[in-house]
Amino acid sequence: MTNRLIKAYAFEKMARVYVADTTEIVQRAKDIHDLWPTASAALGRFLTSSVIMGAMYKGAFNRDDAELTLRIDSNGPIGGMVTTTNTHGEVRGYVGNPHVFLQYDSGKLNVGQAVGEGHLHITKNLKIRDIFTSSVPLFSGEIAEDFAYYFRASEQIPSVVSLGVKVNENNDIIAAGGIILQMLPGYKEEHLQAVEKAFKELPHISFLIEEGKSLEDILALITKDHQLLEELPLKYHCDCSRDKFERGLMSLGIEELRNLIEQDGKIETSCHFCNQQYLFDELDINQLIDEIKK
Ligand SMILES: [Zn+2]
């Protein structure tokens, strides 16, 4: 089963809504990083909102190659998080500390405490002009509220963001997903009220996905007044390569490379996003040094 996202107009076409199932993506992140439950919930919510945001730029400015890097710098035990995503439904990410398990008294995972206070930074490379980054303070560290705050403060778009990750006793991901609804220009107060009422009555997204509801079912639960626009498959995908790590090593310069090889006789690197290891022995490094000299 592959994850996907659907996009629709709703509320007399005065809102655009995205509904995504990201269960497999979050499970993959959990497997790669050995995430404990609260880290799964935090990174899972962040991956979900990131991949939906990437999908928002599909076709923007008649292009399809936008890339987004999202970063949370914060003081909680999780030690911050990074994701990258694009318009093709591909996303990857990591947390500073994967071994975090904090709960509220109710047993609910305490993502806000795990993340702590800090900032959300979103860097957009839309491939049309300069790359730009906008930053907002975190609202609560619960991720959904932080993104809603970002859309309102940074992009002046009233939005509803709902994100959820459910973890079982084996730390596996039973359900993960998200909904982002954004008001469109021309909306009236009555549309906002209708949206608020709909979301007040909507069961939590992770509960709906766990129950086996399809994305279309969930959209219909939000409102019958919708028009489906498109769907997009989603996946956890890392595009790292030995080539990219070679270029990274070359940027260190000849002297630093010589120091590193003198210390250990080899350089071991690994990708933060997927844990793929890349080993460079003395011969490899000498080749890189020759390459730099050229
Ligand atoms: Zn990688």
Side-chain angles (χ1 to χ4, degrees), residues 26-37:
V26 182
Q27 178 67 41
R28 179 105 164 82
K30 184 258 164 194
D31 291 341
I32 291 171
H33 302 299
D34 186 30
L35 301 170
W36 289 5

Side-chain angles (χ1 to χ4, degrees), residues 92 237-241 245 270-276 278:
R92 57 181 187 164
H237 175 74
C238 186
D239 62 352
C240 70
S241 64
F245 277 85
S270 76
C271 175
H272 284 307
F273 291 100
C274 69
N275 274 345
Q276 171 73 45
Y278 296 96

Side-chain angles (χ1 to χ4, degrees), residues 53-285:
M53 246 193 111
M56 288 177 185
Y57 290 93
K58 191 165 184 271
F61 311 103
N62 292 320
R63 302 187 65 105
D64 231 354
D65 54 356
E67 290 170 354
L68 270 58
T69 301
L70 300 93
R71 204 172 84 240
I72 286 179
D73 279 331
S74 61
N75 63 6
I78 217 160
M81 301 188 274
V82 178
T83 62
T84 75
T85 188
N86 57 29
T87 61
H88 308 295
E90 296 171 339
V91 67
R92 57 181 187 164
Y94 64 88
V95 288
N97 174 16
H99 295 162
V100 179
F101 187 15
L102 292 167
Q103 290 170 293
Y104 290 104
D105 291 339
S106 64
K108 199 172 164 273
L109 297 169
N110 192 339
V111 173
Q113 194 190 344
V115 172
E117 291 173 3
H119 287 82
L120 167 64
H121 309 280
I122 300 184
T123 301
K124 294 174 194 165
N125 184 355
L126 306 179
K127 311 278 172 82
I128 46 164
R129 47 179 179 260
D130 295 341
I131 295 171
F132 58 96
T133 299
S134 29
S135 303
V136 294
L138 291 177
F139 187 83
S140 64
E142 293 277 349
I143 315 300
E145 290 170 335
D146 303 312
F147 272 85
Y149 179 69
Y150 168 84
F151 289 126
R152 198 170 62 237
S154 186
E155 303 191 351
Q156 286 79 49
I157 303 172
S159 307
V160 180
V161 182
S162 170
L163 304 167
V165 174
K166 203 158 174 206
V167 184
N168 71 10
E169 61 276 11
N170 300 323
N171 294 359
D172 283 321
I173 313 304
I174 314 171
I179 304 168
I180 298 184
L181 177 144
Q182 299 196 310
M183 300 311 294
L184 293 169
Y187 72 87
K188 300 201 174 68
E189 188 56 34
E190 68 205 58
H191 297 114
L192 267 187
Q193 285 171 3
V195 167
E196 275 169 22
K197 183 168 181 288
F199 277 86
K200 211 171 268 174
E201 288 165 4
L202 187 73
H204 198 260
I205 176 78
S206 55
F207 172 79
L208 293 170
I209 290 174
E210 187 188 1
E211 258 198 330
K213 293 264 188 295
S214 71
L215 300 180
E216 289 77 3
D217 293 339
I218 296 170
L219 181 61
L221 282 175
I222 300 168
T223 176
K224 296 272 187 283
D225 167 25
H226 65 256
Q227 182 190 330
L228 206 60
L229 293 170
E230 61 178 323
E231 70 171 306
L232 185 67
L234 306 177
K235 67 173 175 188
Y236 192 103
H237 175 74
C238 186
D239 62 352
C240 70
S241 64
R242 190 171 173 89
D243 247 27
K244 286 185 180 172
F245 277 85
E246 278 180 0
R247 270 175 271 148
L249 286 175
M250 282 165 72
S251 72
L252 295 175
I254 293 175
E255 200 151 327
E256 181 63 19
L257 287 177
R258 281 198 177 127
N259 283 339
L260 287 167
I261 204 77
E262 263 167 41
Q263 278 166 28
D264 292 327
K266 61 180 190 297
I267 300 176
E268 282 174 316
T269 56
S270 76
C271 175
H272 284 307
F273 291 100
C274 69
N275 274 345
Q276 171 73 45
Q277 314 274 321
Y278 296 96
L279 180 74
F280 297 87
D281 62 18
E282 200 166 344
L283 193 69
D284 298 326
I285 297 301

